[in-house]
Amino acid sequence: MANETFLARLCEQAERYDEMVTYMKEVAKLGGELTVDERNLLSVAYKNVVGTRRASWRIISSIEQKEESKGSDKHVATIREYRHKIESELEKVCQDVLEVLDEALIPNAASGESKVFYHKMKGDYHRYLAEFASGEKRKVAATAAHEAYKSATDVAQGELTPTHPIRLGLALNFSVFYYEILNSPDRLRRTLIMQLLRDNLTLWTSSDNGEPEGAAAEAPKEEKAAEKETDGKADEPAPPAEQQ
């Protein structure tokens, strides 16, 4: 297991995230609860793999809309075919991580922190599926995302402090889900407040101790991946940035 973790770190440094996913999947499937470090490595790996494809999907979708407005049927058909290719890749990655969560990570989660982290992660990837799905598939993905976020919230309320970074990140992403997937504009204000609270907590703990303590120390690696994913490519149409 130590060798796979070391190789995953090498992959992260080389930005070879598909291989990083492969190594961390092996670690996850060995059984037992992952350490905080292993948990974050796995999360970073999947975030980068899915993040590049989400960004590609948004760009191609925007181009498709522009071409449709021009009435360029020939180009639209080609672009639409390529968008479907990206969607197939996205679905494959999301289903892969959801399988790892359901079969290995969630069943072996012992601490409240781990349970919240994995259920939140499950909600996130179902949300990513709902972003590009339509009809019944979108409804199924949205329902699964809501159930996962609700399960995470139930555990967080009983086992994590209100200012715990993972609990704040969960509240933020749950709000993003309501705003973007369920189209609930009234959640926007809460989303912005949660983002502000989370950012301020990071600043406060950093200024007090030189670096975040405890659970707050988990965030940097995953946030680093999130910055790469969202830098200049914030989720549309929602103004707030999700906690990655």
Side-chain angles (χ1 to χ4, degrees):
M1 183 168 68
N3 190 52
E4 282 80 4
T5 302
F6 176 73
L7 286 169
R9 291 184 188 282
L10 285 180
C11 291
E12 181 182 16
Q13 293 300 312
E15 298 187 355
R16 293 172 65 86
Y17 297 106
D18 289 275
E19 291 180 19
M20 188 180 177
V21 161
T22 300
Y23 290 125
M24 290 314 300
K25 276 177 64 178
E26 292 180 18
V27 175
K29 291 183 177 180
L30 288 175
E33 184 168 22
L34 299 186
T35 65
V36 170
D37 188 48
E38 291 167 345
R39 187 177 73 195
N40 285 337
L41 282 172
L42 181 136
S43 181
V44 165
Y46 274 110
K47 277 293 180 184
N48 279 278
V49 170
V50 80
T52 55
R53 289 164 175 81
R54 288 175 72 205
S56 297
W57 182 85
R58 287 191 292 267
I59 293 169
I60 296 301
S61 295
S62 177
I63 294 172
E64 181 182 357
Q65 291 174 2
K66 290 177 182 177
E67 290 299 316
E68 283 180 337
S69 66
K70 296 177 184 178
S72 180
D73 295 337
K74 180 181 178 181
H75 287 164
V76 168
T78 302
I79 296 169
R80 183 175 295 120
E81 182 179 352
Y82 193 67
R83 173 171 58 80
H84 289 161
K85 178 179 182 292
I86 296 172
E87 289 174 355
S88 295
E89 293 178 5
L90 267 170
E91 185 170 7
K92 182 179 179 181
V93 175
C94 289
Q95 294 296 351
D96 185 49
V97 65
L98 288 169
E99 180 180 315
V100 175
L101 284 164
D102 286 335
E103 295 183 2
L105 299 175
I106 292 176
N108 290 316
S111 68
E113 185 176 289
S114 292
K115 292 174 184 176
V116 174
F117 187 94
Y118 293 135
H119 280 290
K120 170 191 168 294
M121 192 172 175
K122 182 175 180 177
D124 288 341
Y125 283 90
H126 277 298
R127 172 163 60 87
Y128 301 156
L129 287 171
E131 285 178 344
F132 63 85
S134 58
E136 186 63 23
K137 290 184 71 173
R138 178 183 173 86
K139 181 179 179 181
V140 170
T143 299
H146 186 276
E147 290 175 354
Y149 283 135
K150 182 63 168 60
S151 295
T153 300
D154 290 342
V155 177
Q157 289 176 342
E159 301 193 37
L160 300 184
T161 63
T163 57
H164 194 292
I166 295 178
R167 182 170 174 179
L168 289 174
L170 166 63
L172 172 63
N173 284 19
F174 204 175
S175 295
V176 170
F177 164 77
Y178 269 105
Y179 182 73
E180 292 190 347
I181 306 301
L182 299 187
N183 299 315
S184 299
D186 58 312
R187 296 279 176 157
L188 177 58
R189 182 181 297 276
R190 180 188 173 191
T191 302
L192 295 172
I193 291 173
M194 294 311 303
Q195 179 68 53
L196 182 62
L197 283 172
R198 187 175 178 281
D199 290 346
N200 282 339
L201 177 63
T202 301
L203 291 173
W204 294 333
T205 53
S206 296
S207 61
D208 288 343
N209 306 296
E211 61 180 8
E213 286 187 346
E218 300 170 19
K221 284 188 178 179
E222 194 174 351
E223 287 170 357
K224 181 180 179 182
E227 288 170 4
K228 291 180 181 177
E229 175 185 340
T230 58
D231 186 20
K233 305 188 285 287
D235 285 354
E236 298 176 355
E242 65 185 88
Q243 186 271 336
Q244 300 292 348

